[in-house]
């Protein structure tokens, strides 16, 4: 679904992303791991067109999107859940969800599975986003990204600052989405147990490079827990 070839990104004289290549496949969860400052969020922003790449290719469903603006990438079918959620606190839950349909034609309905995965959102449709708990806001941010029924879902540290009960809800939702076989999922995470439970494959990043990659089931023997703890 997504193919990245020799991707480089620079800020001024600093080389942030270094010759990254990887594939994301439909029906699989790829976990991108690394300590703070490794370049994970920069990679996601480059994939979304928020940051410009210096060189390399980003190919989505056979189309070269390397130089396309962010809104075109969303129209192609990429859903993005940013770190920190970035919901609209003064808009209601329903209005926040409908913002996810901005790239769709007028009258496009919200997918019912949003409420099936996160029933609390249906219960709180008229409540302002800013009045939700952190975990509920994270569910809202994921629901907003799912509004376009994406073929690729990108999540940047969805467990950050979230209570354990909602982490389990989010884990079940991600696993369910992968098992449906309709999308590829790229998950950035520092919480090892969460990543390990979901990963079909992993990428370990350090200083803008991939230093390890492999199957999710091999993360323990590959020493990924220890690498994140150092």
């Amino acid at each position: 679904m997504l193919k990245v070839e020799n991707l480089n990104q620079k800020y001024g004289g600093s080389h942030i992303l270094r010759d990254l290549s990887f594939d994301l496949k439909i029906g699989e969860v790829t976990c991108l791991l690394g300590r703070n400052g490794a370049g994970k969020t920069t990679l996601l922003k480059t994939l979304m067109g928020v940051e410009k790449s210096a060189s390399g290719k980003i190919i989505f469903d056979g189309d070269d999107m390397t130089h396309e603006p962010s809104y075109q990438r969303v129209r192609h079918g990429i859903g993005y859940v940013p770190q920190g959620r970035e919901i609209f606190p003064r808009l209601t839950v329903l209005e926040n969800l409908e913002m996810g349909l901005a790239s769709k034609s007028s009258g496009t309905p919200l997918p019912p599975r949003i409420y099936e995965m996160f029933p609390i959102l249906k219960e709180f449709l008229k409540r302002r986003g800013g009045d939700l708990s952190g975990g509920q806001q994270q569910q809202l941010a994921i629901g907003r990204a799912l509004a376009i029924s994406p073929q690729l879902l990108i999540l940047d540290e969805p467990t950050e600052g979230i209570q354990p009960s909602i982490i389990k809800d989010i884990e079940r939702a991600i696993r369910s989405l992968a098992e449906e076989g309709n999308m590829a999922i790229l998950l950035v995470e520092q919480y090892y147990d969460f990543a390990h439970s979901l990963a079909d494959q992993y990428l370990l990043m350090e200083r803008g490079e991939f230093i390890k990659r492999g199957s999710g089931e091999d993360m323990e023997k590959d020493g990924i827990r220890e690498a994140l703890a150092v």
Side-chain angles (χ1 to χ4, degrees):
M1 181 51 60
L2 183 78
K3 186 177 184 64
V4 176
E5 299 177 347
N6 307 113
L7 187 67
N8 289 272
Q9 201 270 351
K10 299 178 180 180
Y11 286 134
S14 299
H15 198 163
I16 308 301
L17 303 179
R18 299 172 178 270
D19 208 33
L20 302 180
S21 296
F22 62 96
D23 297 327
L24 303 180
K25 299 177 181 178
I26 286 284
E28 289 190 358
V29 178
T30 300
C31 287
L32 175 62
L33 302 137
R35 288 172 286 172
N36 288 335
K40 305 185 300 297
T41 295
T42 298
L43 173 56
L44 299 194
K45 288 183 176 181
T46 304
L47 295 179
M48 289 304 302
V50 177
E51 303 287 354
K52 292 184 178 180
S53 58
S55 62
K57 287 186 177 181
I58 301 171
I59 300 169
F60 182 71
D61 199 19
D63 295 323
D64 189 342
M65 297 197 314
T66 311
H67 303 295
E68 288 194 356
S70 296
Y71 68 88
Q72 290 286 17
R73 301 182 195 211
V74 174
R75 286 177 176 173
H76 277 293
I78 301 180
Y80 178 44
V81 183
Q83 186 177 18
R85 302 180 281 274
E86 296 186 13
I87 64 159
F88 298 95
R90 293 185 177 277
L91 298 184
T92 67
V93 167
L94 179 59
E95 289 167 338
N96 268 278
L97 292 173
E98 289 176 338
M99 289 296 292
L101 294 171
S103 64
K104 296 290 188 178
S105 58
S106 178
T108 300
L110 289 164
R113 70 177 175 181
I114 294 174
Y115 302 130
E116 294 167 3
M117 290 183 174
F118 304 122
I120 196 69
L121 298 181
K122 190 169 186 178
E123 183 179 339
F124 289 165
L125 283 178
K126 295 182 179 179
R127 186 170 296 189
R128 293 198 309 181
D131 294 334
L132 302 182
S133 70
Q136 291 163 353
Q137 288 183 9
Q138 186 65 68
Q139 291 175 317
L140 177 57
I142 296 172
R144 180 179 60 189
L146 292 175
I148 61 167
S149 297
Q151 293 175 287
L152 169 61
L153 179 64
I154 298 175
L155 304 110
D156 195 353
E157 299 202 21
T159 66
E160 184 180 38
I162 304 301
Q163 57 267 46
S165 62
I166 293 188
I167 288 177
K168 285 295 183 183
D169 291 339
I170 291 172
E171 180 181 335
R172 283 191 291 269
I174 293 173
R175 182 174 288 110
S176 174
L177 290 168
E179 289 174 351
E180 286 178 10
N182 298 320
M183 69 175 69
I185 298 173
L186 177 59
L187 169 66
V188 168
E189 190 51 67
Q190 292 201 63
Y191 178 20
Y192 174 85
D193 289 337
F194 182 82
H196 186 222
S197 72
L198 289 167
D200 291 295
Q201 62 173 327
Y202 76 85
L203 302 165
L204 180 62
M205 179 179 278
E206 185 175 296
R207 297 181 181 179
E209 299 179 284
F210 294 142
I211 59 171
K212 283 187 177 181
R213 65 175 75 202
S215 169
E217 63 185 15
D218 293 334
M219 287 172 63
E220 199 71 35
K221 75 177 182 63
D222 290 348
I224 304 306
R225 185 192 295 273
E226 292 76 13
L228 294 174
V230 172

